[in-house]
Amino acid sequence: IQLMAFIEAIEKAVGREAIKNFMPLQDGDVPATHADVEELAAWTQFRPAMPVPDGVTKFVAWYRDYYQV
């Protein structure tokens, strides 16, 4: 999932737009990453199936309930 899509999911779940300050890449920033988790999935017989936006929504709901926010 791309970073902006993740941020948009958080914004939607909390009902508030994030204040974004776009900056040039900093030393140590990585412009792109990729993880191949096929071996882990084969080893554990587990593959996440929940879409990220749904997971973010559920996490925010849990957080608000747990911390009474």
Side-chain angles (χ1 to χ4, degrees):
I1 183 169
Q2 294 199 353
L3 178 59
M4 288 308 299
F6 186 65
I7 291 170
E8 288 169 7
I10 295 170
E11 290 174 330
K12 184 177 178 185
V14 300
R16 185 172 174 185
E17 186 175 344
I19 299 170
K20 302 172 200 81
N21 183 13
F22 295 100
M23 306 280 293
L25 286 178
Q26 306 294 304
D27 289 343
D29 282 352
V30 181
T33 62
H34 174 78
D36 182 356
V37 295
E38 290 303 316
E39 189 173 339
L40 177 62
W43 184 57
T44 62
Q45 287 78 50
F46 175 77
R47 184 176 305 277
M50 182 175 294
V52 171
D54 295 346
V56 169
T57 299
K58 288 179 181 285
F59 174 78
V60 169
W62 168 85
Y63 184 94
R64 286 179 167 163
D65 180 60
Y66 187 83
Y67 289 102
Q68 300 299 304
V69 178

